[in-house]
Amino acid sequence: MTSKPVPVIVLAGFLGSGKTTLLNHLLRASRGTRIGVVVNDFGAIEIDAMTVAGQLGDSTVSLGNGCLCCAVDASELDVFLDRLTRPDARLDVIVIEASGLAEPQELVRMVLAGENERVMYGGLVEVVDAAEFDATLERHPEIARHLGIADLIVLNKADRVGDAAGERLRERIRGLGRGALVSATYGRIDPELLFECRPRGERVGQLSFEDLREEDEDAAGAGDGDRGDGCEVGDGHRHGRAHGDHLHAAYESVSFTADEPLHPRRLLDFLDSRPEGLYRIKGFVDFGALDPRNRYAVHAVGRFLRFHPEPWPAGERRQSGIVLIGSGIDTAALRKELDALPVAGPQDAPDEHTMWGVLRFVPDGPEGS
């Protein structure tokens, strides 16, 4: 069991945009990752990927692989987050599927305003129906506001529009939102965009529905690639993975390591000026003599930023390592900025006051941040 905060992702989008399809894909492709799901809706629901659990109503269902689903009203959110983040639940991530008519910023505000120290905001994902976007936006102009606060925008059902229309849509959406934008078919995006995945083959608890599904497919001679392909991501800058002809995701990633401690002020300047489309930043930072006992986990999603100090593991090399993930980002420019972050020698050594900026983004740190 771990004391690491559990990221909470808000999944939003208008009715019929494909939120549940995307959620089902995440559940299928997560392999051993334990996902908690909160459905912000009333009445009975059914999640196709979880039919082994039967029909869901206003109740909680626990599966062997640790997926928990709760059909709740938003006012009950804190209660369910407390329940799902108990150490004995051993969840890796929680996804809140908003109602198709919900105001997603209200759910985001509730997550950020909560006092549960086991919760970490994981970002707002807005799903858009490519075929219906123009008509939906005309009827519901508030969707433009939703796009404006989204950290990741998924242009779903991209196969239903032509190349020219798809590019026009992407340009229009980029004008409305600051978040990273990816196209998808049947909600198939790479889970790595949203959360850390357990290593392939790692299992916690009993036989999961994914194991059962694989056995059924093997018995039927199925090998069509629809079983969920884990969460491995290559080390190149451009990633794409296909289910047959369907693109999971297209995005850039940059990996950065440094043996020298990072300069706190330059790191914060970099994080404050990070470009639009840079969706996730994750990793560990060494601030050297400014805090020799701790490394700092850095977690950024959209414009949200947190640092979490934790003791250095015994025997581990003291090194900073950061991964940046986004869409439409200039990887060469990012690398140049990252290369300027390490302390360049005794003459460049930061004073202790430069850590105050970092501590503002530590839960319960100075100024209540």
Side-chain angles (χ1 to χ4, degrees):
M1 293 192 280
T2 175
S3 60
K4 285 179 58 179
V6 178
V8 178
I9 298 164
V10 178
L11 176 62
F14 191 69
L15 296 167
S17 59
K19 298 185 301 298
T20 301
T21 300
L22 190 153
L23 177 57
N24 288 341
H25 165 70
L26 294 178
L27 292 169
R28 288 193 299 265
S30 68
R31 310 298 295 185
T33 304
R34 296 168 67 88
I35 304 175
V37 180
V38 177
V39 180
N40 172 219
D41 208 348
F42 283 112
I45 62 172
E46 182 176 354
I47 297 181
D48 294 340
M50 303 177 66
T51 52
V52 292
Q55 184 77 11
L56 298 179
D58 295 327
S59 60
T60 302
V61 175
S62 177
L63 296 184
N65 71 338
C67 293
L68 304 176
C69 282
C70 314
V72 299
D73 181 78
S75 64
E76 300 173 292
L77 184 57
D78 283 342
V79 174
F80 278 91
L81 289 182
D82 284 342
R83 180 183 301 177
L84 295 177
T85 56
R86 288 187 318 226
D88 58 357
R90 303 174 70 187
L91 292 181
D92 299 305
V93 63
I94 296 170
V95 179
I96 301 173
E97 183 185 356
S99 162
L101 299 176
E103 287 289 340
Q105 64 266 33
E106 294 303 319
L107 289 170
V108 171
R109 186 176 295 115
M110 291 180 71
V111 174
L112 291 175
E115 298 182 357
N116 187 339
E117 296 180 354
R118 300 188 298 269
V119 164
M120 175 176 66
Y121 176 58
L124 169 61
V125 180
E126 183 77 16
V127 184
V128 171
D129 185 333
E132 301 293 335
F133 178 72
D134 289 333
T136 302
L137 184 62
E138 183 176 352
R139 295 194 308 272
H140 301 279
E142 66 272 15
I143 289 175
R145 183 174 67 252
H146 301 170
L147 292 173
I149 64 172
D151 301 297
L152 177 68
I153 302 169
V154 178
L155 183 61
N156 197 30
K157 308 182 186 180
D159 58 321
R160 295 182 57 188
V161 298
D163 292 342
E167 184 55 35
R168 179 187 62 80
L169 269 176
R170 284 187 285 272
E171 287 301 316
R172 188 176 184 192
I173 291 171
R174 289 188 187 103
L176 295 172
R178 300 175 57 191
L181 173 64
V182 296
S183 298
T185 300
Y186 300 117
R188 289 167 176 162
I189 66 171
D190 195 317
E192 185 75 9
L193 278 174
L194 304 182
F195 52 78
E196 300 296 327
C197 296
R198 289 183 181 274
R200 190 180 183 91
E202 182 177 342
R203 285 285 187 267
V204 177
Q206 304 168 19
L207 188 70
S208 74
F209 68 84
E210 181 64 26
D211 296 313
L212 298 173
R213 190 166 182 268
E214 289 183 358
E215 289 181 2
D216 290 342
E217 288 179 345
D218 289 341
D224 60 2
D226 193 35
R227 293 181 292 179
D229 45 21
C231 302
E232 296 86 348
V233 175
D235 56 4
H237 288 270
R238 189 75 180 173
H239 301 284
R241 187 179 294 146
H243 257 270
D245 296 328
H246 304 307
L247 185 66
H248 276 211
Y251 58 94
E252 295 85 32
S253 72
V254 174
S255 298
F256 169 76
T257 59
D259 291 325
E260 296 297 325
L262 300 193
H263 195 293
R265 187 182 66 249
R266 290 202 293 270
L267 175 61
L268 285 175
D269 288 344
F270 169 76
L271 293 171
D272 286 341
S273 63
R274 59 192 185 272
E276 296 180 8
L278 182 55
Y279 172 63
R280 286 188 77 199
I281 301 174
K282 57 184 180 177
F284 293 96
V285 175
D286 176 21
F287 289 120
L290 294 177
D291 191 347
R293 294 181 302 172
N294 293 313
R295 65 180 184 179
Y296 283 70
V298 58
H299 168 77
V301 55
R303 309 315 297 176
F304 176 82
L305 173 65
R306 280 289 184 270
F307 286 97
H308 295 274
E310 61 182 56
W312 282 97
E316 181 159 327
R317 181 180 182 181
R318 300 210 169 193
Q319 181 185 63
S320 297
I322 306 174
V323 176
L324 306 92
I325 302 173
S327 175
I329 56 177
D330 186 339
T331 57
L334 283 177
R335 284 190 175 279
K336 185 175 180 181
E337 292 184 65
L338 290 165
D339 288 340
L341 297 183
V343 175
Q347 74 284 357
D348 188 38
D351 62 54
E352 62 181 14
H353 301 299
T354 59
M355 280 295 290
W356 291 357
V358 172
L359 296 177
R360 289 182 57 239
F361 296 97
V362 173
D364 300 322
E367 300 182 19
S369 296

